[in-house]
């Protein structure tokens, strides 16, 4: 058996659904289980519709048109799609009347995206002679806690998933399961979501619990690339990458896989393959526990923009242990997460996401320190073999110095696979290109 996961952009319209169906059909002999995201940007559209409903107006026009048009174009019956769209409209009307939306209602609301896409795709597969059946995640064994919008799957899933697909696994039932990504239900039966991009976690959990041969996630690029191709056009696909590197990549700006999605497949050692639906024959990138082939010391160069850099300098004679303890306690108290950090005896430099409101936190840490905030900073990360850090850093700084760029902070983290540098947002793309050129060569220079 294999798991095949397709994201929203692979399902953006009828033509793409046809492509997905033909890829699934071509893999029939491998006994696929399919996991789907919502079509196109449906999750964003649903969240927008929710905002509008809170301010009093109900508008599902775009969502309705996309799904109805797709069903019509694919020549499948609209009954189930219409029923779900009707339920969605009723829910939004309710929200527009009470003018409020809890996290719990928001999860119920966004769940319609995945529930619609699996029904449309399964119906089209069956119509094309590839017998398939749509599953809502809760009928596939996905039970979570009740942390709405960010739910965690419970350990029960490890038994519940194989139980749900026992007949398919044994060959008794031949219909290919097409399962909603991203959603689950808690023990009380209330719909939850696993966080944005959570379909990857659904796919790896399903694959790990069923001990499948391979978990495939299908994208529209050639697997995992050495850099964002919009910044570095000559970026190349990687053959092989470790779970640890993939997890760091996900945290540091690459859209490749949801960070939490590596956990289940690491437990079972199930291989993950990132494939390109526009280049079916290419092998894609394989994610494994331990590298099987020799690799370049630097694998990927990524950047996350719009970070805030805080320089915190102690104003009291606290001693470093007391000072750091005080500072970190305030981050804990305010629930602010830190991305990159460097410390000395009496000072700390760290970056946080600009989306977070820092006013309370800053007031508290200013009791014991001077704080300077610098906005519009980027975290440029080298996913690399940190055992070769001296050579990597030497090359890195030589290249940046040659272009007159001063790095503002550097952190070779606890992770064995990344080194991060902080620079201005305005320099970020340039820095990524310089480093990519330094490590992989620039064909144009
Ligand atoms: N549809 C959800 C999202 O857009 C989940 C996913 O695509 O993985 O975040
Ligand atoms: Mg999506």
């Amino acid at each position: 058996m294999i798991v095949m996961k397709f994201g929203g952009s692979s399902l953006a319209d009828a033509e793409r659904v046809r492509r997905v169906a033909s890829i699934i059909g071509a893999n029939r002999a491998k006994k696929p289980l399919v996991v789907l995201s919502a079509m196109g940007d449906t999750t964003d559209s649903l969240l927008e519709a929710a905002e509008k409903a809170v301010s009093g107006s109900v508008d599902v026009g775009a969502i309705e048109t996309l799904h109805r048009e797709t069903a019509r174009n694919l020549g499948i019956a609209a009954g189930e799609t219409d029923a779900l769209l009707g339920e969605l409209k009723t829910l939004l009307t309710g929200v527009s009347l009470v003018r409020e939306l809890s996290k719990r209602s928001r999860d119920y609301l966004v769940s319609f995206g995945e529930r619609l896409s699996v029904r449309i795709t399964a119906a089209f597969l069956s119509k094309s002679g590839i017998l398939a059946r749509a599953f809502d995640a809760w009928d596939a064994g996905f039970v979570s806690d009740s942390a709405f919008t960010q739910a965690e799957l419970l350990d029960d899933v490890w038994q519940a998933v194989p139980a749900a697909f026992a007949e398919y696994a044994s060959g008794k039932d031949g219909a290919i399961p097409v399962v909603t990504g991203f959603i689950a239900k808690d023990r009380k039966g209330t719909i939850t979501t696993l966080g944005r991009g959570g379909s990857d976690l659904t796919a790896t959990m399903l694959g790990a619990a069923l001990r499948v041969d391979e978990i495939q996630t299908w994208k529209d690029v050639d697997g995992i690339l050495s850099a964002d191709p919009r910044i570095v056009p000559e970026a190349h696909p990687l053959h092989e990458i470790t779970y640890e590197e993939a997890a760091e990549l996900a945290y540091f700006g690459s859209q490749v896989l949801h960070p939490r999605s590596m956990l289940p497949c690491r437990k079972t050692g199930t291989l993950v393959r990132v494939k390109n639906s526009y280049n079916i024959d290419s092998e894609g990138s394989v994610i494994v526990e331990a590298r099987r082939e020799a690799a370049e010391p630097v694998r990927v160069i990524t950047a996350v923009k719009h970070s805030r850099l805080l320089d915190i300098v102690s104003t009291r004679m606290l001693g470093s242990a007391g000072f750091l303890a005080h500072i970190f306690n305030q981050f804990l108290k305010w629930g602010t997460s830190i991305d990159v950090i460097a410390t000395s005896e009496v000072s700390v430099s760290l970056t946080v996401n600009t989306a977070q409101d820092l006013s309370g936190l800053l007031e508290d840490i200013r009791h014991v320190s001077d704080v300077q905030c610098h906005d519009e900073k980027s975290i440029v990360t080298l996913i690399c073999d940190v055992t070769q850090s001296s050579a990597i850093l030497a090359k890195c700084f030589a290249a940046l110095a040659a272009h007159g760029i001063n790095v503002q902070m550097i952190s070779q983290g606890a992770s064995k696979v990344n080194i991060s540098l902080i620079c201005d947002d305005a320099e970020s793309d340039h820095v990524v290109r310089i480093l990519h050129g330094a490590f992989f060569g620039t064909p144009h220079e």
Side-chain angles (χ1 to χ4, degrees):
M1 285 198 290
I2 60 170
V3 167
M4 305 178 78
K5 182 253 165 179
F6 298 89
S9 68
S10 305
L11 299 160
D13 53 31
E15 189 206 325
R16 295 201 178 194
V17 174
R18 282 199 179 87
R19 177 184 291 272
V20 163
S22 85
I23 297 173
I24 296 168
N27 282 278
R28 241 159 143 180
K30 296 184 184 154
K31 262 209 198 174
L33 293 107
V34 178
V35 173
L36 301 182
S37 294
M39 290 183 65
D41 295 327
T42 299
T43 306
D44 291 324
S45 309
L46 285 164
L47 289 167
E48 273 164 38
E51 297 275 304
K52 278 196 195 152
V54 172
S55 57
S57 70
V58 176
D59 177 10
V60 281
I63 299 162
E64 217 167 49
T65 310
L66 174 66
H67 293 91
R68 287 228 172 100
E69 270 299 298
T70 306
R72 197 189 48 76
N73 192 318
L74 296 172
I76 54 176
E80 276 191 309
T81 313
D82 279 352
L84 279 174
L85 288 168
E87 189 184 335
L88 169 63
K89 223 185 238 171
T90 308
L91 174 62
L92 284 169
T93 308
V95 172
S96 75
L97 292 174
V98 294
R99 304 258 177 139
E100 65 180 15
L101 184 73
S102 60
K103 283 188 170 178
R104 170 190 164 127
S105 312
R106 194 158 68 174
D107 277 358
Y108 174 27
L109 199 132
V110 290
S111 75
F112 285 91
E114 273 68 13
R115 289 154 77 195
L116 284 161
S117 75
V118 295
R119 282 167 177 79
I120 289 175
T121 309
F124 180 67
L125 280 165
S126 294
K127 183 193 161 223
S128 320
I130 305 161
L131 190 60
R133 183 174 309 130
F135 277 84
D136 289 321
W138 41 89
D139 295 324
F142 283 81
V143 52
S144 73
D145 63 15
S146 306
F148 298 107
T149 75
Q150 281 296 339
E152 297 275 354
L153 293 171
L154 302 183
D155 281 341
D156 308 33
V157 175
W158 289 95
Q159 275 83 46
V161 164
F165 296 109
E167 303 220 321
Y168 184 63
S170 72
K172 239 194 200 162
D173 178 359
I176 297 174
V178 183
V179 185
T180 54
F182 178 53
I183 58 179
K185 273 188 179 172
D186 67 8
R187 283 203 202 281
K188 288 191 204 136
T190 310
I191 297 178
T192 59
T193 65
L194 309 177
R196 294 304 305 267
S199 305
D200 289 333
L201 177 60
T202 308
T204 54
M205 186 64 237
L206 189 67
L210 289 165
R211 307 289 198 279
V212 298
D213 302 316
E214 169 168 321
I215 299 160
Q216 302 177 344
T217 70
W218 289 79
K219 311 262 163 194
D220 42 20
V221 289
D222 266 330
I224 298 173
L225 301 176
S226 57
D228 182 338
R230 289 165 301 185
I231 300 172
V232 184
E234 65 273 20
H236 57 268
L238 304 183
H239 223 189
E240 193 180 80
I241 180 166
T242 65
Y243 292 126
E244 198 176 4
E245 290 167 340
E248 291 292 328
L249 248 182
Y251 280 116
F252 288 104
S254 152
Q255 296 296 325
V256 173
L257 284 169
H258 189 276
R260 274 190 298 160
S261 66
M262 290 296 107
L263 293 172
C265 48
R266 271 193 99 161
K267 263 193 192 153
T268 52
T270 310
L271 184 144
V272 178
R273 193 185 293 275
V274 183
K275 299 255 306 171
N276 184 355
S277 48
Y278 289 89
N279 188 6
I280 304 179
D281 297 328
S282 124
E283 288 237 323
S285 304
V286 166
I287 310 177
V288 290
E289 179 65 45
R291 204 180 304 297
R292 300 172 298 188
E293 49 190 45
E296 307 259 358
V298 174
R299 322 294 329 280
V300 184
I301 301 166
T302 71
V304 186
K305 290 187 182 160
H306 312 306
S307 279
R308 174 174 292 171
L309 175 66
L310 302 185
D311 283 326
I312 305 169
V313 181
S314 175
T315 48
R316 297 220 192 144
M317 303 309 279
L318 275 175
S320 79
F323 171 62
L324 290 178
H326 181 85
I327 299 294
F328 291 139
N329 270 323
Q330 303 313 316
F331 277 83
L332 176 66
K333 172 179 161 194
W334 292 96
T336 305
S337 60
I338 297 170
D339 293 322
V340 180
I341 185 161
T343 70
S344 77
E345 188 81 3
V346 291
S347 71
V348 190
S349 289
L350 49 84
T351 64
V352 295
N353 191 307
T354 341
Q356 309 180 85
D357 174 17
L358 297 182
S359 43
L361 169 80
L362 288 178
E363 201 180 315
D364 279 350
I365 49 184
R366 283 198 165 114
H367 290 146
V368 295
S369 55
D370 275 335
V371 186
Q372 305 258 5
C373 295
H374 311 275
D375 278 337
E376 292 168 25
K377 299 294 173 190
S378 288
I379 307 171
V380 175
T381 298
L382 297 146
I383 305 290
C384 60
D385 176 0
V386 171
T387 61
Q388 301 183 49
S389 64
S390 298
I392 292 169
L393 286 170
K395 201 172 207 180
C396 180
F397 287 122
L400 293 175
H403 286 82
I405 290 182
N406 275 318
V407 168
Q408 296 162 27
M409 173 179 147
I410 154 164
S411 158
Q412 182 182 325
S415 150
K416 290 188 291 295
V417 299
N418 84 56
I419 295 175
S420 292
L421 317 168
I422 309 299
C423 65
D424 289 339
D425 275 348
E427 297 172 322
S428 167
D429 290 357
H430 189 40
V431 167
V432 171
R433 281 193 283 264
I434 293 169
L435 295 179
H436 199 276
F439 289 101
F440 303 115
T442 15
H444 312 305
E445 266 177 32

mmCIF file of all heavy atoms in Angstrom, residues 5-9 35-44 46-47 110 113-114 181-183 193-202 258, ligand 1:
data_model
loop_
_atom_site.group_PDB
_atom_site.id
_atom_site.type_symbol
_atom_site.label_atom_id
_atom_site.label_comp_id
_atom_site.label_asym_id
_atom_site.label_seq_id
_atom_site.Cartn_x
_atom_site.Cartn_y
_atom_site.Cartn_z
ATOM 1 N N LYS A 5 -0.848 11.946 -1.232
ATOM 2 C CA LYS A 5 -1.491 13.162 -0.754
ATOM 3 C C LYS A 5 -1.381 14.270 -1.804
ATOM 4 O O LYS A 5 -0.291 14.501 -2.343
ATOM 5 C CB LYS A 5 -0.834 13.593 0.567
ATOM 6 C CG LYS A 5 -1.457 14.832 1.180
ATOM 7 C CD LYS A 5 -0.576 16.032 1.034
ATOM 8 C CE LYS A 5 -1.305 17.321 1.289
ATOM 9 N NZ LYS A 5 -0.449 18.504 1.181
ATOM 10 N N PHE A 6 -2.508 14.921 -2.066
ATOM 11 C CA PHE A 6 -2.513 16.043 -3.010
ATOM 12 C C PHE A 6 -2.975 17.308 -2.297
ATOM 13 O O PHE A 6 -4.005 17.297 -1.625
ATOM 14 C CB PHE A 6 -3.438 15.743 -4.198
ATOM 15 C CG PHE A 6 -3.003 14.551 -5.003
ATOM 16 C CD1 PHE A 6 -3.455 13.277 -4.671
ATOM 17 C CD2 PHE A 6 -2.121 14.696 -6.060
ATOM 18 C CE1 PHE A 6 -3.042 12.167 -5.386
ATOM 19 C CE2 PHE A 6 -1.702 13.583 -6.790
ATOM 20 C CZ PHE A 6 -2.162 12.319 -6.457
ATOM 21 N N GLY A 7 -2.222 18.387 -2.451
ATOM 22 C CA GLY A 7 -2.557 19.654 -1.807
ATOM 23 C C GLY A 7 -3.534 20.469 -2.642
ATOM 24 O O GLY A 7 -3.902 20.085 -3.760
ATOM 25 N N GLY A 8 -3.936 21.608 -2.089
ATOM 26 C CA GLY A 8 -4.950 22.443 -2.719
ATOM 27 C C GLY A 8 -4.617 22.852 -4.142
ATOM 28 O O GLY A 8 -5.475 22.818 -5.033
ATOM 29 N N SER A 9 -3.344 23.221 -4.412
ATOM 30 C CA SER A 9 -3.046 23.727 -5.748
ATOM 31 C C SER A 9 -3.113 22.605 -6.788
ATOM 32 O O SER A 9 -3.369 22.856 -7.956
ATOM 33 C CB SER A 9 -1.697 24.450 -5.782
ATOM 34 O OG SER A 9 -0.671 23.530 -5.577
ATOM 35 N N VAL A 35 -5.129 11.094 0.273
ATOM 36 C CA VAL A 35 -5.467 12.161 1.229
ATOM 37 C C VAL A 35 -5.530 13.468 0.441
ATOM 38 O O VAL A 35 -4.623 13.764 -0.336
ATOM 39 C CB VAL A 35 -4.403 12.284 2.343
ATOM 40 C CG1 VAL A 35 -4.665 13.510 3.228
ATOM 41 C CG2 VAL A 35 -4.367 11.021 3.198
ATOM 42 N N LEU A 36 -6.604 14.234 0.636
ATOM 43 C CA LEU A 36 -6.746 15.477 -0.113
ATOM 44 C C LEU A 36 -6.913 16.690 0.793
ATOM 45 O O LEU A 36 -7.521 16.611 1.859
ATOM 46 C CB LEU A 36 -7.982 15.414 -1.025
ATOM 47 C CG LEU A 36 -8.045 14.298 -2.061
ATOM 48 C CD1 LEU A 36 -9.321 14.444 -2.888
ATOM 49 C CD2 LEU A 36 -6.828 14.308 -2.972
ATOM 50 N N SER A 37 -6.365 17.828 0.311
ATOM 51 C CA SER A 37 -6.656 19.128 0.911
ATOM 52 C C SER A 37 -7.926 19.665 0.267
ATOM 53 O O SER A 37 -8.466 19.063 -0.652
ATOM 54 C CB SER A 37 -5.547 20.125 0.590
ATOM 55 O OG SER A 37 -4.349 19.771 1.183
ATOM 56 N N ALA A 38 -8.328 20.846 0.714
ATOM 57 C CA ALA A 38 -9.444 21.543 0.075
ATOM 58 C C ALA A 38 -8.987 22.028 -1.299
ATOM 59 O O ALA A 38 -7.799 22.252 -1.528
ATOM 60 C CB ALA A 38 -9.852 22.714 0.946
ATOM 61 N N MET A 39 -9.934 22.207 -2.225
ATOM 62 C CA MET A 39 -9.580 22.661 -3.584
ATOM 63 C C MET A 39 -9.016 24.077 -3.570
ATOM 64 O O MET A 39 -9.605 24.978 -2.957
ATOM 65 C CB MET A 39 -10.817 22.676 -4.478
ATOM 66 C CG MET A 39 -11.363 21.315 -4.838
ATOM 67 S SD MET A 39 -12.784 21.485 -5.962
ATOM 68 C CE MET A 39 -11.992 22.196 -7.421
ATOM 69 N N GLY A 40 -7.902 24.279 -4.272
ATOM 70 C CA GLY A 40 -7.344 25.632 -4.453
ATOM 71 C C GLY A 40 -7.200 26.379 -3.135
ATOM 72 O O GLY A 40 -6.630 25.858 -2.174
ATOM 73 N N ASP A 41 -7.721 27.602 -3.112
ATOM 74 C CA ASP A 41 -7.618 28.425 -1.896
ATOM 75 C C ASP A 41 -8.886 28.370 -1.057
ATOM 76 O O ASP A 41 -9.220 29.323 -0.346
ATOM 77 C CB ASP A 41 -7.365 29.890 -2.284
ATOM 78 C CG ASP A 41 -6.024 30.057 -2.959
ATOM 79 O OD1 ASP A 41 -5.087 29.313 -2.603
ATOM 80 O OD2 ASP A 41 -5.918 30.917 -3.856
ATOM 81 N N THR A 42 -9.604 27.257 -1.131
ATOM 82 C CA THR A 42 -10.895 27.186 -0.451
ATOM 83 C C THR A 42 -10.795 27.462 1.046
ATOM 84 O O THR A 42 -11.670 28.133 1.616
ATOM 85 C CB THR A 42 -11.539 25.804 -0.709
ATOM 86 O OG1 THR A 42 -11.719 25.677 -2.116
ATOM 87 C CG2 THR A 42 -12.870 25.659 -0.003
ATOM 88 N N THR A 43 -9.735 26.968 1.697
ATOM 89 C CA THR A 43 -9.631 27.201 3.145
ATOM 90 C C THR A 43 -9.570 28.704 3.435
ATOM 91 O O THR A 43 -10.252 29.200 4.336
ATOM 92 C CB THR A 43 -8.400 26.473 3.726
ATOM 93 O OG1 THR A 43 -8.487 25.096 3.360
ATOM 94 C CG2 THR A 43 -8.341 26.577 5.237
ATOM 95 N N ASP A 44 -8.777 29.436 2.639
ATOM 96 C CA ASP A 44 -8.728 30.902 2.815
ATOM 97 C C ASP A 44 -10.089 31.524 2.532
ATOM 98 O O ASP A 44 -10.535 32.411 3.271
ATOM 99 C CB ASP A 44 -7.682 31.525 1.877
ATOM 100 C CG ASP A 44 -6.268 31.148 2.286
ATOM 101 O OD1 ASP A 44 -6.005 31.052 3.502
ATOM 102 O OD2 ASP A 44 -5.428 30.939 1.398
ATOM 103 N N LEU A 46 -12.974 30.193 2.888
ATOM 104 C CA LEU A 46 -13.891 29.883 3.992
ATOM 105 C C LEU A 46 -13.623 30.809 5.178
ATOM 106 O O LEU A 46 -14.555 31.297 5.827
ATOM 107 C CB LEU A 46 -13.742 28.417 4.414
ATOM 108 C CG LEU A 46 -14.381 27.399 3.459
ATOM 109 C CD1 LEU A 46 -13.857 25.997 3.744
ATOM 110 C CD2 LEU A 46 -15.907 27.418 3.584
ATOM 111 N N LEU A 47 -12.338 31.047 5.447
ATOM 112 C CA LEU A 47 -12.005 31.937 6.570
ATOM 113 C C LEU A 47 -12.481 33.366 6.283
ATOM 114 O O LEU A 47 -12.962 34.060 7.178
ATOM 115 C CB LEU A 47 -10.503 31.886 6.860
ATOM 116 C CG LEU A 47 -10.040 30.557 7.479
ATOM 117 C CD1 LEU A 47 -8.528 30.437 7.461
ATOM 118 C CD2 LEU A 47 -10.560 30.419 8.921
ATOM 119 N N VAL A 110 -14.311 25.539 8.445
ATOM 120 C CA VAL A 110 -13.279 25.254 7.434
ATOM 121 C C VAL A 110 -13.279 23.792 7.014
ATOM 122 O O VAL A 110 -12.755 23.445 5.961
ATOM 123 C CB VAL A 110 -11.834 25.671 7.841
ATOM 124 C CG1 VAL A 110 -11.693 27.162 7.881
ATOM 125 C CG2 VAL A 110 -11.392 25.046 9.113
ATOM 126 N N GLY A 113 -14.222 22.544 3.295
ATOM 127 C CA GLY A 113 -13.312 22.520 2.142
ATOM 128 C C GLY A 113 -12.865 21.101 1.819
ATOM 129 O O GLY A 113 -12.999 20.623 0.684
ATOM 130 N N GLU A 114 -12.330 20.397 2.804
ATOM 131 C CA GLU A 114 -11.826 19.034 2.587
ATOM 132 C C GLU A 114 -12.985 18.067 2.332
ATOM 133 O O GLU A 114 -12.878 17.145 1.536
ATOM 134 C CB GLU A 114 -10.999 18.568 3.790
ATOM 135 C CG GLU A 114 -9.516 18.933 3.755
ATOM 136 C CD GLU A 114 -9.215 20.433 3.888
ATOM 137 O OE1 GLU A 114 -10.126 21.203 4.252
ATOM 138 O OE2 GLU A 114 -8.052 20.828 3.626
ATOM 139 N N GLY A 181 -7.923 15.461 4.393
ATOM 140 C CA GLY A 181 -6.779 15.869 5.198
ATOM 141 C C GLY A 181 -7.232 16.902 6.207
ATOM 142 O O GLY A 181 -8.392 17.343 6.189
ATOM 143 N N PHE A 182 -6.335 17.273 7.135
ATOM 144 C CA PHE A 182 -6.485 18.501 7.938
ATOM 145 C C PHE A 182 -7.514 18.449 9.067
ATOM 146 O O PHE A 182 -7.406 19.197 10.022
ATOM 147 C CB PHE A 182 -6.821 19.636 6.955
ATOM 148 C CG PHE A 182 -7.074 21.008 7.489
ATOM 149 C CD1 PHE A 182 -6.172 21.643 8.335
ATOM 150 C CD2 PHE A 182 -8.220 21.706 7.098
ATOM 151 C CE1 PHE A 182 -6.414 22.950 8.770
ATOM 152 C CE2 PHE A 182 -8.457 23.007 7.532
ATOM 153 C CZ PHE A 182 -7.544 23.623 8.372
ATOM 154 N N ILE A 183 -8.513 17.552 8.975
ATOM 155 C CA ILE A 183 -9.573 17.615 9.993
ATOM 156 C C ILE A 183 -9.643 16.327 10.803
ATOM 157 O O ILE A 183 -9.086 15.303 10.428
ATOM 158 C CB ILE A 183 -10.951 17.940 9.361
ATOM 159 C CG1 ILE A 183 -11.362 16.910 8.303
ATOM 160 C CG2 ILE A 183 -10.923 19.323 8.733
ATOM 161 C CD1 ILE A 183 -12.734 17.192 7.665
ATOM 162 N N THR A 193 -9.529 20.954 13.652
ATOM 163 C CA THR A 193 -8.543 20.978 12.562
ATOM 164 C C THR A 193 -7.136 20.891 13.153
ATOM 165 O O THR A 193 -6.905 21.252 14.310
ATOM 166 C CB THR A 193 -8.643 22.249 11.691
ATOM 167 O OG1 THR A 193 -8.317 23.381 12.491
ATOM 168 C CG2 THR A 193 -10.036 22.420 11.109
ATOM 169 N N LEU A 194 -6.213 20.411 12.335
ATOM 170 C CA LEU A 194 -4.852 20.119 12.810
ATOM 171 C C LEU A 194 -3.886 21.270 12.575
ATOM 172 O O LEU A 194 -2.680 21.083 12.639
ATOM 173 C CB LEU A 194 -4.328 18.864 12.106
ATOM 174 C CG LEU A 194 -5.251 17.636 12.152
ATOM 175 C CD1 LEU A 194 -4.655 16.488 11.349
ATOM 176 C CD2 LEU A 194 -5.472 17.197 13.601
ATOM 177 N N GLY A 195 -4.384 22.460 12.273
ATOM 178 C CA GLY A 195 -3.501 23.592 11.972
ATOM 179 C C GLY A 195 -3.318 23.714 10.466
ATOM 180 O O GLY A 195 -3.375 22.702 9.746
ATOM 181 N N ARG A 196 -3.058 24.947 9.995
ATOM 182 C CA ARG A 196 -2.928 25.170 8.551
ATOM 183 C C ARG A 196 -1.868 24.253 7.962
ATOM 184 O O ARG A 196 -0.824 24.042 8.570
ATOM 185 C CB ARG A 196 -2.579 26.633 8.247
ATOM 186 C CG ARG A 196 -3.663 27.646 8.588
ATOM 187 C CD ARG A 196 -4.994 27.359 7.921
ATOM 188 N NE ARG A 196 -4.971 27.239 6.482
ATOM 189 C CZ ARG A 196 -5.194 28.232 5.618
ATOM 190 N NH1 ARG A 196 -5.428 29.444 6.065
ATOM 191 N NH2 ARG A 196 -5.186 28.011 4.325
ATOM 192 N N GLY A 197 -2.167 23.726 6.808
ATOM 193 C CA GLY A 197 -1.232 22.796 6.160
ATOM 194 C C GLY A 197 -1.275 21.403 6.760
ATOM 195 O O GLY A 197 -0.450 20.553 6.456
ATOM 196 N N GLY A 198 -2.278 21.140 7.608
ATOM 197 C CA GLY A 198 -2.322 19.895 8.379
ATOM 198 C C GLY A 198 -2.577 18.629 7.571
ATOM 199 O O GLY A 198 -2.448 17.530 8.112
ATOM 200 N N SER A 199 -2.913 18.762 6.297
ATOM 201 C CA SER A 199 -3.139 17.540 5.500
ATOM 202 C C SER A 199 -1.885 16.686 5.397
ATOM 203 O O SER A 199 -1.985 15.468 5.230
ATOM 204 C CB SER A 199 -3.545 17.888 4.074
ATOM 205 O OG SER A 199 -4.644 18.705 4.080
ATOM 206 N N ASP A 200 -0.728 17.305 5.467
ATOM 207 C CA ASP A 200 0.514 16.524 5.452
ATOM 208 C C ASP A 200 0.561 15.578 6.646
ATOM 209 O O ASP A 200 0.973 14.432 6.529
ATOM 210 C CB ASP A 200 1.742 17.445 5.532
ATOM 211 C CG ASP A 200 1.964 18.224 4.249
ATOM 212 O OD1 ASP A 200 1.559 17.730 3.183
ATOM 213 O OD2 ASP A 200 2.534 19.325 4.329
ATOM 214 N N LEU A 201 0.132 16.100 7.790
ATOM 215 C CA LEU A 201 0.122 15.264 9.000
ATOM 216 C C LEU A 201 -0.880 14.117 8.839
ATOM 217 O O LEU A 201 -0.590 12.975 9.206
ATOM 218 C CB LEU A 201 -0.206 16.117 10.228
ATOM 219 C CG LEU A 201 -0.322 15.363 11.551
ATOM 220 C CD1 LEU A 201 0.978 14.653 11.903
ATOM 221 C CD2 LEU A 201 -0.711 16.305 12.694
ATOM 222 N N THR A 202 -2.042 14.418 8.269
ATOM 223 C CA THR A 202 -3.020 13.348 8.020
ATOM 224 C C THR A 202 -2.364 12.250 7.179
ATOM 225 O O THR A 202 -2.486 11.063 7.481
ATOM 226 C CB THR A 202 -4.246 13.899 7.256
ATOM 227 O OG1 THR A 202 -4.753 15.040 7.942
ATOM 228 C CG2 THR A 202 -5.327 12.833 7.120
ATOM 229 N N HIS A 258 4.434 20.231 6.362
ATOM 230 C CA HIS A 258 4.054 20.749 7.667
ATOM 231 C C HIS A 258 5.038 20.221 8.726
ATOM 232 O O HIS A 258 5.335 19.018 8.737
ATOM 233 C CB HIS A 258 2.639 20.235 7.938
ATOM 234 C CG HIS A 258 1.984 20.824 9.119
ATOM 235 N ND1 HIS A 258 2.179 20.341 10.392
ATOM 236 C CD2 HIS A 258 1.130 21.857 9.235
ATOM 237 C CE1 HIS A 258 1.463 21.063 11.229
ATOM 238 N NE2 HIS A 258 0.808 21.990 10.561
HETATM 239 N N1 LIG B 1 -6.657 23.095 3.492
HETATM 240 C C1 LIG B 1 -5.862 23.297 4.670
HETATM 241 C C2 LIG B 1 -5.022 24.541 4.509
HETATM 242 O O1 LIG B 1 -5.095 25.199 3.485
HETATM 243 C C3 LIG B 1 -5.014 22.136 4.997
HETATM 244 C C4 LIG B 1 -3.968 21.785 3.980
HETATM 245 O O2 LIG B 1 -4.016 22.232 2.840
HETATM 246 O O3 LIG B 1 -3.072 21.019 4.329
HETATM 247 O O4 LIG B 1 -4.310 24.890 5.418
#
